[in-house]
Amino acid sequence: MSILARIRAHGGEVIRNEWRITMRKGRLSAAALEWIAGRRTELMREVWPEFDDWNERAAIREYCGGMSRAEAEAAAYVDVTKC
C-alpha cells in the first residue's frame, strides 16, 4: 500500500501547493505521523511525480548558480512546470 493510500485510509489528506505539501492528519496517530515524516521524499514522489527533477534543478541553481534555496526552488518549479 502506498504512503498516500495509508494516509487516506486513516482519514488524512495531503495537499500540494506548488512544491510544498501540507497534511491534514485525520485519525493518524503520533507514531504514524513520525513514520510518514521519515518517508517524506517517498511521499513527495507519490504526490508529485516531477519531485526528483525539481529537487535536482533547485540544487543546481543553489550550489552552482549561487541562488538562495528559496529562490532556487521557485525557479526550479517554473522549469519543471512549463510545457
Side-chain angles (χ1 to χ4, degrees), residues 13-24 40 43-44 47-48 50-51 54 70 73-74 76-78 80-81:
E13 182 181 1
V14 176
I15 301 117
R16 183 175 72 89
N17 181 8
E18 295 179 330
W19 62 91
R20 299 170 198 92
I21 61 170
T22 55
M23 193 171 73
R24 293 188 186 131
R40 184 180 184 283
L43 176 60
M44 286 298 296
V47 173
W48 188 33
E50 295 85 2
F51 172 75
W54 167 82
E73 288 176 347
Y77 182 76
V78 170
V80 299
T81 57

Side-chain angles (χ1 to χ4, degrees), residues 2-47:
S2 74
I3 298 168
L4 193 53
R6 290 176 186 214
I7 292 168
R8 289 178 177 155
H10 289 87
E13 182 181 1
V14 176
I15 301 117
R16 183 175 72 89
N17 181 8
E18 295 179 330
W19 62 91
R20 299 170 198 92
I21 61 170
T22 55
M23 193 171 73
R24 293 188 186 131
K25 70 177 194 168
R27 298 178 309 278
L28 292 163
S29 67
L33 293 171
E34 186 176 331
W35 182 86
I36 293 165
R39 288 157 182 80
R40 184 180 184 283
T41 299
E42 294 170 57
L43 176 60
M44 286 298 296
R45 288 179 182 135
E46 284 186 45
V47 173

Side-chain angles (χ1 to χ4, degrees), residues 60-76:
I60 290 167
R61 287 178 175 274
E62 181 180 11
Y63 294 105
C64 297
M67 297 175 111
S68 70
R69 183 63 188 188
E71 293 170 325
E73 288 176 347

